[in-house]
Amino acid sequence: MFRTALRNVLAHKARLLMTVLAVMLGVAFVTGTLVFTNTISGAMEKSSAKGFSHVDVAVTAQRAEDKGNTVGKEARLTDATLKAARDTQGAGSAYGVVSGYAAVADQKGKLVGDGFSTKGGNYWGTDDARYPLKQGKAPHGKDQVALDAKTAERAGYKVGDQVRMSVDGPVLTPTLTGIFTTDDGNVSAGGSLALFDTPTAQALFHKPGAYDEIDVTAAAGTSQEQLKSALDKTLPSGQTETTTAQQLADDQAEQISSSMSSMKTMLLVFAGIALFVGIFIIANTFTMLVAQRTKELALMRAVGASRRQVTRSVLLEAFVVGAVAAVAGLAVGIGIGAGMRALMGTTGAIIPDGPLVVSPGTVVAALVVGILITMLAAWLPGRRAAKIPPVAAMNAVHAAPTAKSLVLRNTLGALVSAAGVAAVLYATTMSGDSGQAPMGAGAALLVIGVFILTPLLSRPLIALAAPVLRAFGISGKLARLNSVRNPRRTAATASALMIGLTLITGLTVIAGSVQSAINKMAADSVKADYVVAMANGNQLSPDVVKTLEKAPGVTAVSGLTNSPARVDGGTEFLTGVNGKTINQLAELPLDSGKFDVGGDRVVVDDKTAKDHGWSTGSTFTTHYEDDRPQKLTVAGVYEANEMMRGIMIDTPTLAPHLSADSGDMQVMVKTSGGASDATKDKLTKALGENPAIQVQDKQDITNQVAQIFTLMLNMLYGLLAMAVIVAVLGVINTLAMSVFERQQEIGMLRAIGIDRKGIKRMVRLESLVISLFGGVLGIGLGVFFGWAAGQLIGNSMSTYELILPWGRMGIFLALAAVVGILAALWPARRAARLNMLDSIKAE
């Protein structure tokens, strides 16, 4: 039976080619994902581990927590702590670490390392072992800075130049005194690092006389664990925490692995979709091959082969096909992984150097996935083959299914579809997080149910195309009849395309609706002309508000400062605003009371008020970040949105309780002339043309949102393109094998007068009808799923409403048509070139 299976594979190489390609693409996607993510993770872990080569134990301040809440006083690491660490038995040396955000601009004023972390820190003394000097000398004083070599090269700076940069506010122009090398993983990944002397760094990063961390090296003969134990005994109990460098490296590796996990999961999901689509092709192919070999299989049964042996022979064929496809997919996937890494470099992304990682697990996964998927898809055709009675003498490929089997299939499909619709509709009544699981399960059931019902749906839907097909004469009529001759085959072929278009349409509907909701939210809730914020989302310097208040044409300014507070035993976040101007800058619909922020009066969003049982006039006690209590009164309750929510309090009331390094997250600005390019330029110049600070009007905000959604959609379209390509292979495969089956029929059509153009037109129209059938089903399901997901989103986004992208849906339907036309090129040409007499004689 093995020799028979192998002979059948070799005899049908051309017919199995598309199946091999489909499996190969899916396996390549899986392999490429694993190679790419493992390579990036390995390079980043190796790079980050180098950053801990000059420390054995790190000492950090311990936050004083109260009853499990995050609000409390944080201990400070001072020179006294540093001295105690240095004097600890077993310590070799110790130095204080100060870090913060520092944006470096290049010679043209553009931010260096855009999209990556841009850090600042302190250079310890005149010879810091962490940062060996490549050129120049260590920085000294507030007007000197040192840069890492990669940043200096990218920005075009050399020793002696004035460096344009910003920490959190006004632009600084210190002199570049030194260029250093570093193993910092952040720099290796494309970030930048600017170093000042320690007093300057402490002043710039709002930590006068304090450190973020104290790094201690062990003396000869002392292990990291021994040094950690000695420091725990020496340093003040309850104020510091110690961690070995090995633990830091392990934690960093785990963090990198976790961050890559989401990317790996997403890519593997799309690889799974491509493989799932490939299952239809495999099942279709083996079904057709079994049907074409009815006489052969019947003869095998007649000479003594059992049903199990026949099934096993089909599975052996699938094993060989899957193994070949898996090996080819593994090779292609390794190339894809290397290509994805190179592609990241061309897009401006910089990743650490490291070898291409092809782990044994990746090889095993490729082989298992390829072989297992192929054998599973071929199992049902193999089972059918085993049921062929020995007396079978005719090709049953066009035999109509029995009434019983059709009723059973349609009943099952209707029940599964109804269960899916019910689950999706039920999920729409739930909250966002709790409704995700039932909606996902319902969506899967509905797709399966529609697939089961597709043969039933094919006749009425394809019949709708009859008026159009009549215009093509006999070729159009034959194309329609051929497309419904074998509904199951048409269903499997169309379903492959349906799945891809379902996902593409659903994602487009959701993205467009969310973007519209955010645009509406910005227009309805923000009255300010401009919103000023740091490019990296960090806090702004207090100087920014002062500068903007004095800027020409500015009529109202309010910073937004976030601060944690303990309320009713839990943590809430207070938002400090300018109570005198906030009404001119924000418009939030009130449920009750009035928008009166000042003194001990606050306004609260409706969700927070409901959670605590507050209403207008209610009073509550808050413990601020410094743990001091104050009784506050609810002056009004407003409707929250994604842009503004929480407890709003007057900044003068909140400010005395803020830590020294607190700042505004955003500043809202109203101008006399409204938003214009000229006004934006004035504000930008007033802020010193700081590359780290963004000045955005409403249109800029909506454009930024649109850019994010466009980037996300384009990425998802690219990933789903693999499923569409596999679907195209399925259409080609089905048509090619269908042409082979109908050689005699095509020969007869040629004999009675249909020319080669007519034959080509018939095959092309059949392909077009099947593809459009799958496209209509996919777009319809995608719109339904987009609507259902929108109901979940709408529960937490009041401005959400369904937006149907008619233009894009038209493009998707046109894409389905193009798929049909392209997929038919080779089968149509093959059909037209068949020899008339040979075809009539063919069995």
Side-chain angles (χ1 to χ4, degrees):
M1 294 304 294
F2 177 77
R3 288 197 301 271
T4 302
L6 187 60
R7 187 205 66 187
N8 284 326
V9 171
L10 296 175
H12 301 112
K13 294 188 293 292
R15 298 180 219 175
L16 290 169
L17 177 61
M18 296 301 170
T19 300
V20 171
L21 287 175
V23 179
M24 183 197 75
L25 287 174
V27 171
F29 206 154
V30 173
T31 305
T33 295
L34 295 175
V35 169
F36 172 69
T37 52
N38 289 342
T39 297
I40 299 300
S41 296
M44 293 180 70
E45 287 174 16
K46 183 178 178 181
S47 177
S48 66
K50 291 181 180 178
F52 302 114
S53 59
H54 300 289
V55 56
D56 289 306
V57 177
V59 181
T60 55
Q62 186 179 56
R63 179 179 290 274
E65 298 185 354
D66 183 6
K67 298 181 180 180
N69 296 315
T70 58
V71 179
K73 297 178 181 178
E74 185 174 327
R76 287 164 58 87
L77 301 179
T78 63
D79 286 325
T81 316
L82 177 63
K83 184 178 184 303
R86 185 183 292 121
D87 293 342
T88 299
Q89 185 176 1
S93 62
Y95 50 88
V97 178
V98 182
S99 61
Y101 173 69
V104 178
D106 60 20
Q107 298 280 21
K108 297 180 180 179
K110 189 175 181 180
L111 184 66
V112 177
D114 187 22
F116 297 92
S117 179
T118 50
K119 293 185 177 181
N122 66 313
Y123 192 96
W124 190 255
T126 57
D127 187 17
D128 194 326
R130 298 170 299 169
Y131 309 113
L133 286 170
K134 183 178 179 181
Q135 298 176 30
K137 60 181 182 178
H140 181 70
K142 63 180 182 179
D143 294 325
Q144 295 186 3
V145 69
L147 293 178
D148 68 88
K150 291 186 177 181
T151 298
E153 182 181 355
R154 279 185 290 162
Y157 288 124
K158 58 183 183 295
V159 173
D161 288 346
Q162 298 291 309
V163 178
R164 187 177 179 82
M165 62 183 304
S166 171
V167 173
D168 60 2
V171 172
L172 307 174
T173 55
T175 300
L176 180 62
T177 62
I179 296 175
F180 58 88
T181 58
T182 176
D183 291 327
D184 191 310
N186 171 70
V187 174
S188 299
S192 64
L193 182 60
L195 300 180
F196 306 88
D197 67 9
T198 300
T200 302
Q202 290 174 325
L204 287 173
F205 302 130
H206 308 292
K207 305 176 181 77
Y211 303 99
D212 293 289
E213 182 176 300
I214 293 174
D215 290 345
V216 187
T217 59
T222 303
S223 68
Q224 291 184 357
E225 289 297 338
Q226 290 172 333
L227 177 58
K228 179 182 183 302
S229 178
L231 288 168
D232 287 338
K233 295 176 182 178
T234 304
L235 299 177
S237 177
Q239 296 185 26
T240 59
E241 293 180 352
T242 57
T243 311
T244 63
Q246 184 60 52
Q247 184 62 49
L248 289 173
D250 292 344
D251 292 345
Q252 186 73 19
E254 185 178 348
Q255 184 179 354
I256 292 170
S257 177
S258 176
S259 64
M260 293 299 295
S261 175
S262 57
M263 179 189 292
K264 180 185 292 186
T265 301
M266 181 186 71
L267 291 173
L268 288 176
V269 164
F270 286 97
I273 293 169
L275 285 168
F276 183 65
V277 171
I279 287 175
F280 294 105
I281 300 176
I282 301 166
N284 239 1
T285 301
F286 278 93
T287 297
M288 295 166 77
L289 287 175
V290 166
Q292 292 167 12
R293 287 158 44 203
T294 301
K295 286 185 178 181
E296 176 188 324
L297 294 173
L299 181 61
M300 290 173 63
R301 291 290 313 281
V303 298
S306 66
R307 288 186 174 185
R308 183 173 297 178
Q309 285 179 308
V310 172
T311 302
R312 195 180 300 143
S313 71
V314 175
L315 291 178
L316 281 171
E317 292 179 44
F319 174 83
V320 173
V321 171
V324 171
V327 172
L330 175 62
V332 174
I334 293 172
I336 290 175
M340 289 174 69
R341 175 175 174 171
L343 183 62
M344 286 188 68
T346 62
T347 59
I350 301 175
I351 56 176
D353 295 329
L356 199 66
V357 178
V358 184
S359 66
T362 300
V363 176
V364 171
L367 296 175
V368 169
V369 167
I371 295 172
L372 193 62
I373 289 293
T374 308
M375 293 184 69
L376 283 175
W379 176 78
L380 187 58
R383 189 169 173 270
R384 287 177 184 163
K387 291 182 178 180
I388 297 175
V391 295
M394 297 184 66
N395 192 331
V397 68
H398 299 313
T402 64
K404 180 180 178 181
S405 68
L406 287 175
V407 170
L408 179 63
R409 178 175 182 135
N410 294 337
T411 302
L412 178 62
L415 291 174
V416 173
S417 297
V421 171
V424 171
L425 293 178
Y426 171 70
T428 61
T429 64
M430 305 172 71
S431 62
D433 293 336
S434 58
Q436 291 178 3
M439 181 165 290
L445 284 174
L446 182 54
V447 169
I448 294 171
V450 170
F451 167 66
I452 297 173
L453 286 174
T454 304
L456 177 66
L457 297 173
S458 63
R459 291 186 180 276
L461 288 178
I462 290 176
L464 295 175
V468 178
L469 293 174
R470 286 196 199 103
F472 296 95
I474 190 65
S475 296
K477 183 177 181 179
L478 289 172
R480 181 178 65 82
L481 293 174
N482 287 333
S483 61
V484 294
R485 178 186 295 184
N486 192 327
R488 288 179 175 174
R489 182 188 300 171
T490 298
T493 306
S495 295
L497 188 59
M498 176 192 77
I499 292 170
L501 287 181
T502 295
L503 294 169
I504 290 173
T505 304
L507 291 169
T508 303
V509 170
I510 293 170
S513 300
V514 170
Q515 182 181 325
S516 175
I518 292 175
N519 293 349
K520 189 174 186 298
M521 191 185 300
D524 292 348
S525 62
V526 178
K527 293 164 65 177
D529 295 319
Y530 296 98
V531 175
V532 179
M534 293 290 285
N536 69 332
N538 277 4
Q539 297 175 348
L540 290 160
S541 165
D543 295 334
V544 172
V545 169
K546 298 174 184 177
T547 301
L548 290 171
E549 286 175 339
K550 298 175 183 178
V554 172
T555 58
V557 174
S558 175
L560 276 68
T561 306
N562 293 333
S563 175
R566 191 170 68 255
V567 178
D568 292 345
T571 300
E572 294 286 353
F573 279 87
L574 305 177
T575 301
V577 298
N578 187 330
K580 297 177 181 178
T581 62
I582 189 63
N583 281 315
Q584 304 174 51
L585 300 165
E587 186 169 356
L588 300 171
L590 287 170
D591 285 348
S592 63
K594 57 183 180 178
F595 209 94
D596 179 17
V597 178
D600 62 354
R601 301 180 306 282
V602 299
V603 292
V604 184
D605 73 270
D606 48 2
K607 184 179 183 303
T608 303
K610 182 179 178 181
D611 290 344
H612 291 278
W614 297 337
S615 60
T616 299
S618 298
T619 60
F620 63 92
T621 300
T622 180
H623 286 76
Y624 291 107
E625 191 174 353
D626 61 359
D627 210 28
R628 291 164 59 187
Q630 183 177 359
K631 183 172 286 188
L632 301 174
T633 302
V634 178
V637 178
Y638 66 92
E639 295 180 14
N641 58 51
E642 292 300 308
M643 298 186 73
M644 303 190 76
R645 60 175 61 238
I647 303 172
M648 291 193 185
I649 185 172
D650 198 18
T651 299
T653 304
L654 178 64
H657 307 283
L658 297 175
S659 59
D661 58 349
S662 294
D664 295 319
M665 297 305 298
Q666 293 180 334
V667 177
M668 304 175 75
V669 183
K670 187 79 172 175
T671 60
S672 56
S676 68
D677 291 340
T679 304
K680 182 190 286 189
D681 288 341
K682 289 179 182 178
L683 295 179
T684 303
K685 289 179 180 177
L687 292 170
E689 297 182 329
N690 193 322
I693 297 179
Q694 292 180 328
V695 179
Q696 295 180 305
D697 58 21
K698 292 180 185 179
Q699 189 59 49
D700 292 329
I701 295 172
T702 56
N703 288 344
Q704 189 175 37
V705 172
Q707 185 178 11
I708 293 171
F709 278 109
T710 300
L711 180 64
M712 178 189 70
L713 277 178
N714 288 341
M715 181 179 66
L716 295 177
Y717 289 162
L719 294 172
L720 286 172
M722 183 68 73
V724 175
I725 291 171
V726 173
V728 172
L729 293 176
V731 178
I732 296 173
N733 198 39
T734 300
L735 290 173
M737 299 189 75
S738 178
V739 166
F740 177 83
E741 289 174 354
R742 293 174 3 219
Q743 286 186 75
Q744 193 174 55
E745 175 188 318
I746 292 170
M748 290 296 296
L749 290 172
R750 290 290 312 283
I752 61 176
I754 298 181
D755 59 10
R756 289 186 173 183
K757 287 185 178 180
I759 296 295
K760 283 184 179 180
R761 190 181 303 118
M762 177 188 72
V763 176
R764 288 170 183 165
L765 289 174
E766 180 183 349
S767 175
L768 182 63
V769 167
I770 293 173
S771 297
L772 286 175
F773 172 52
V776 169
L777 287 180
I779 292 172
L781 283 175
V783 169
F784 176 70
F785 291 144
W787 167 82
Q791 297 301 302
L792 283 181
I793 298 171
N795 292 333
S796 58
M797 187 177 288
S798 59
T799 56
Y800 183 91
E801 60 181 13
L802 181 67
I803 302 294
L804 293 180
W806 294 105
R808 291 205 175 192
M809 288 194 295
I811 293 174
F812 297 155
L813 194 60
L815 175 65
V818 171
V819 165
I821 293 170
L822 294 178
L825 290 178
W826 178 62
R829 185 170 178 268
R830 186 170 182 268
R833 296 181 64 182
L834 288 174
N835 183 282
M836 188 189 311
L837 295 178
D838 291 342
S839 298
I840 292 174
K841 291 188 295 182
E843 294 186 3

